Amino acid sequence: MLTLTDSQIELLEAMDGPVNTHVTRGTVWIRRRPYKLPDLYALRAAGLVQAAEFRNGARGTHRFELTARGIAEARHRRD
């Protein structure tokens, strides 16, 4: 089992499907809520989040989605 901080768990649960993110000054915005960018990088390094294809994005906008491992970890944390 992974050791995640409370903010990383909150970010993991916020990404319940493919989400658009907007990155500004060390903050990643998901659904109009701010999260810490290092938390997103930690989830990516752990293999819980991956970049998704995004064609019509504006500058600074990226698309991420949970991996199968990320979905399982989010379900485990909710239960």
Side-chain angles (χ1 to χ4, degrees):
M1 181 155 113
L2 294 172
T3 303
L4 299 174
T5 65
D6 291 338
S7 60
Q8 290 170 345
I9 293 170
E10 185 179 333
L11 176 58
L12 185 67
E13 291 174 350
M15 299 181 72
D16 59 354
V19 292
N20 294 334
T21 63
H22 187 75
V23 178
T24 58
R25 297 184 191 142
T27 303
V28 59
W29 292 84
I30 299 174
R31 295 186 180 106
R32 297 183 181 179
R33 293 202 55 211
Y35 298 94
K36 296 176 185 174
L37 190 58
D39 290 339
L40 178 64
Y41 288 149
L43 294 177
R44 282 190 72 185
L48 302 176
V49 175
Q50 67 183 5
E53 185 177 345
F54 191 53
R55 294 186 180 162
N56 296 326
R59 182 176 169 173
T61 302
H62 306 281
R63 190 169 182 98
F64 292 96
E65 63 186 6
L66 294 176
T67 62
R69 183 177 177 199
I71 293 169
E73 187 70 27
R75 285 184 186 153
H76 173 73
R77 300 288 176 163
R78 270 187 232 132
D79 296 336

